[in-house]
Amino acid sequence: MKKYDYLIVGSGLFGITFAYLANKARKKCLVIDKRSHLGGNIYCEDDDGIHVHKYGAHIFHTSNKEVWDFVNSFVPFNRYTNSPVANYKGKLYNLPFNMNTFYEMWGVTSPKEAEAKIAEQKAEAVKALGDREPQNLEEQALSLVGRDIYEKLIKGYTEKQWGRKCTELPAFIIKRLPVRLTFDNNYFNDSYQGIPIGGYNRLIEGLLEGIETKTDADFFADRETYVNLAEKIVFTGKIDEFYEFKFGKLEYRTVRFETEKINVQNFQGNAVINYTEEEVPYTRIIEHKHFEPENPAWGKDVTVISREYSTEWKDGMESFYPVNDEKNSELYKKYKALADSEENVIFGGRLAEYKYYDMDDVIARVFEITKIILKGKCSK
Ligand code: UDP
């Protein structure tokens, strides 16, 4: 008999949701993380009472009521609604693309006028496409919203974010951006949306209550010892690293945050301002206090902002966005085949599944897995 039922490698949302549910099913768990704090990328740093999203803005949104009720059972969420604004050469446009954006872009005031303008703007691209599907992000954007919006609000931002030309990027990236003929600046289409009141660390603490954890613990530095501690492993780190990069390294984009504390009450009037022109080196500025207007720290004459610079991942950097192009997807498939044959290891989360994952989908996936394995219906 080993000391633990599950060793959970990585304390991000996947790992800690798994730990919570396993613990409830009376399984003995140990959660380890190589960082000096728990919670993975949802962890927030407290600065003068402001909860700073240290690893990038995390806005919880879902249409899954079970997931929404689950997270709210640990900490109530506020009613924050994400309504980012784009700054293109000093002019502001509402996002996602909606009647406000079309008014700002072309002065059109009715859905009918907006529709006619979009049709005119995309006519050339639609004609060039004919019957075929858009082959890349540029074709997708031009045939969805036309030239003006593509050039002012999409091209520069996307090329900065991905470090690749829009003609070399897959079309699906832009498909998640809604286009609306209503005056609705809500970025997400989901039924529920918000930020934990008191910050994400309350969610982390709630999920991990009563569970053994260890920080500054690098699985790979002492792999054998860790493996021998538990019957099964839940691995949420990088799948290629788990297999010692035997087929090669998966690529990622990473984000460098330049965080600054400023002595003003309100710096930019919104949590998220995207800088969509190529010439500004960062993609966006996050002003953290706007996520929690109910926080008493909101009223103070101090604020914390983070400029986000998107760069190619290199060894030693944090891995943020998987690059799901053809080359990397093929490579991932090879690792996935190995992972599927493991008896005692469960792979989950953004890094282990090499997948762009929203937080609600991570939790839903853990629900799915634990429903099977914690009832003992499957060997894993
Ligand atoms: N995007 C864009 N302009 C913007 C915001 C987003 O062109 O002002 C595009 C860009 O290609 C980006 C994609 O939409 O990669 C998805 O952006 P989103 O903000 O939804 O994703 P995030 O990076 O925040 O997860």
Side-chain angles (χ1 to χ4, degrees), residues 153-154 158 161-162 173 176-177 187 274 284 321 356:
L153 303 182
I154 298 176
T158 301
Q161 165 142 9
W162 295 97
I173 293 178
R176 62 176 186 248
L177 277 184
Y187 199 63
N274 292 355
R284 58 189 176 190
Y321 294 92
Y356 182 96

Side-chain angles (χ1 to χ4, degrees), residues 53-67:
H53 293 215
K54 190 174 156 64
Y55 303 98
H58 281 75
I59 301 151
F60 203 98
H61 57 98
T62 188
S63 291
N64 183 330
K65 183 149 191 321
E66 194 190 355
V67 168

Side-chain angles (χ1 to χ4, degrees), residues 204-245:
I204 301 168
E205 286 154 17
L207 283 163
L208 285 172
E209 202 184 309
I211 296 168
E212 244 182 277
T213 60
K214 201 166 176 258
T215 48
D216 298 302
D218 183 355
F219 173 76
F220 295 109
D222 208 355
R223 187 166 181 157
E224 219 184 298
T225 312
Y226 282 123
V227 167
N228 288 324
L229 278 180
E231 301 293 337
K232 288 176 202 273
I233 293 174
V234 175
F235 183 77
T236 72
K238 294 164 75 158
I239 190 168
D240 51 350
E241 190 173 11
F242 187 88
Y243 290 110
E244 288 156 358
F245 308 105

Side-chain angles (χ1 to χ4, degrees), residues 19 64 75 115 125 156 201 232 256 270 284 290 318 347 350:
N64 183 330
V75 46
E115 226 166 6
N201 294 4
K232 288 176 202 273
R256 182 172 64 81
N270 205 25
R284 58 189 176 190
H290 292 295
E318 297 281 355
F347 292 82
R350 180 177 49 99

Side-chain angles (χ1 to χ4, degrees), residues 139-191:
E139 286 187 359
Q140 173 71 38
L142 286 174
S143 59
L144 188 72
V145 285
R147 179 125 339 244
D148 285 353
I149 291 187
Y150 171 64
E151 279 172 1
K152 292 184 174 157
L153 303 182
I154 298 176
K155 190 171 186 289
Y157 186 92
T158 301
E159 295 188 346
K160 283 191 287 188
Q161 165 142 9
W162 295 97
R164 289 156 175 78
K165 296 267 163 236
C166 286
T167 47
E168 289 157 18
L169 284 164
F172 78 83
I173 293 178
I174 207 82
K175 279 190 186 152
R176 62 176 186 248
L177 277 184
V179 177
R180 295 191 194 122
L181 291 174
T182 55
F183 291 93
D184 179 4
N185 296 327
N186 180 355
Y187 199 63
F188 299 118
N189 288 321
D190 283 319
S191 321

